[in-house]
Amino acid sequence: MNNKRTHQPKQQSGITMEMGQTFPLTIKRLGINGEGVGYFKKQVVFVYGALPGEEVVARVTKLHAKFAEAEIKKIRKASPHRVKAPCPYFGKCGGCQLQHLDYQQQLKEKRDILIQALERHTKFDLSKLEIHPTIGMDNPWEYRNKSQLQVGKQNGKVVTGLYGLNTHQLVAIDHCMVQTPATDRATQGVKQILQDFKIEPYDERKRQGLVKNIVTRAGIETGEVQVVIVTEKEAFPRKDLIADEIMKRHPDVKSIVQNINPGKNSMIFGDKSVKLKGKDTIDEKLGELSFGLSPRAFFQLNPEQTNKLYNEVKNAAALTGKEKIADAYCGVGTIGLWLADGAKEIRGMDVIEASIQDANQNAKNHNINATYVTGTAEHWLPKWTKEGWKPDVVVVDPPRTGCDRTLLDTIKKVKPKKFIYVSCNPSTLAKDLEYLAKEYRVEYMQPVDMFPQTAHVECVVQMTLRKGN
């Protein structure tokens, strides 16, 4: 399969465009954030809302040292794949970027975004690289099992929503089309109860009020819902009455937690959590496995696609029952436990203590031979190797920043026969693959669409140790 793209014009060093300038532009491809990319006088222009193949009149809205941002003034020739976005908040809240693109075409463009990243950050011969078509969803809506919305006040009413694209203005959202209905209902219900009890949202500018965020998570298979109310301080008037009211109006809510996040920061959660009512965790199932989820534990946001993603990891591992597997960035142990029935032993690590407690409990619940420890893979892998335990397969599922360089150096030293990389960011994936290229060969790449209607691309990469290493 030939994955080589046509040559794109080289970037000039200085931008010659001006603010407000308009010009015709042909859109060549999608950028990593879902924006259309074109070239004006060999200079890169990112156009929000434009699609590949379209001819538009663009107006410059922002200038940078090496590129410009623009908006669509007029579409002269629309893409045959352009559709009407069904959501009233599309283009305002910034949560989705691709609702205006036909879903089957979204899948093709996501594979292309992966190819672009490999072109930019690696020396691979892409004509020889096996990159499979993106695995999509039958129904690419109502899939997210977790909602994290800011709380504010507009026209005297409590509202929940997201900050608008490139602004600090809260876009109030009453219904989100990519959220599973249970999280949507719980969020709107809690919002109404806060209004009824006259609990004020926290105002950053005035440094007054209490509630910052409402976080809801639903077990898609179990129907259990967890509500986390994030507050600026611990004192929470009538919190017991509020918790009782939430459970009375929403019987599917089984766990209510207050999280305290003082001061001004960009993090959703603070360090301290207090259970208000119900269970500490909610239960969820993935395939045959059950998981207990605490509020801060990482768990994949799209369970239907997670089944497909983890099956791709299993395919890539090609287990025989004799392998020792190390699961780095293990979270609550989902990937390792998914692979356990084909492996001899699972060991995993994560820096979040709560996740490790959940992972060990999950392994115990399933009578699986797995050990989970708190800390980094770069600490534990050399230690285990020195003690005589060397993994045959290492699986990583890192955050968007990619793998820590010291972890990749550890992989080079420990030399597992197989290295399986689950990525949620094509750019950091490409850089990491290039760094490992001398020691490991990329056998194939399988993109999976975990977040339909957005520009996010997930990918499973099977790598094998090169001979002589």
Side-chain angles (χ1 to χ4, degrees), residues 317 319-328 333 335-349 360 363 367-373 380-381 384-385 387-395 416:
L319 302 172
T320 64
K322 297 173 184 173
E323 289 84 3
K324 296 192 280 280
I325 295 177
D327 179 10
I335 290 181
L337 299 179
W338 195 270
L339 301 177
D341 62 351
K344 183 180 178 184
E345 187 186 351
I346 306 286
R347 292 189 183 186
M349 69 290 287
N360 279 312
N367 297 315
I368 286 172
N369 182 19
T371 307
Y372 293 102
V373 289
W380 285 104
L381 286 178
W384 289 339
T385 305
E387 291 166 359
W389 192 89
K390 181 184 169 180
D392 303 292
V393 181
V394 172
V395 182

Side-chain angles (χ1 to χ4, degrees), residues 2-14:
N2 187 354
N3 296 313
K4 200 67 183 163
R5 298 169 54 81
T6 54
H7 175 71
Q8 299 291 358
K10 280 198 174 155
Q11 179 66 52
Q12 288 183 344
S13 55

Side-chain angles (χ1 to χ4, degrees), residues 119-134:
E119 279 195 329
R120 196 171 300 121
H121 301 296
T122 75
K123 299 185 184 75
F124 297 161
D125 180 350
L126 298 189
S127 64
K128 293 179 181 169
L129 202 56
E130 197 176 323
I131 305 177
H132 299 163
T134 309

Side-chain angles (χ1 to χ4, degrees), residues 12 35 81 91 94-95 103 110 113 122 158 161 175 195-196 209 213 228 237 247 282 291 308 408 421 430-431 442:
Q12 288 183 344
E35 68 280 77
H81 306 294
Y103 185 58
K110 291 190 180 196
I113 287 171
T122 75
V158 176
H175 167 60
Q195 172 86 30
D196 294 347
N213 299 86
V228 183
M247 283 195 161
I282 58 166
F291 296 94
K308 297 175 189 175
L408 297 179
Y421 195 134
K431 290 172 189 172
V442 174

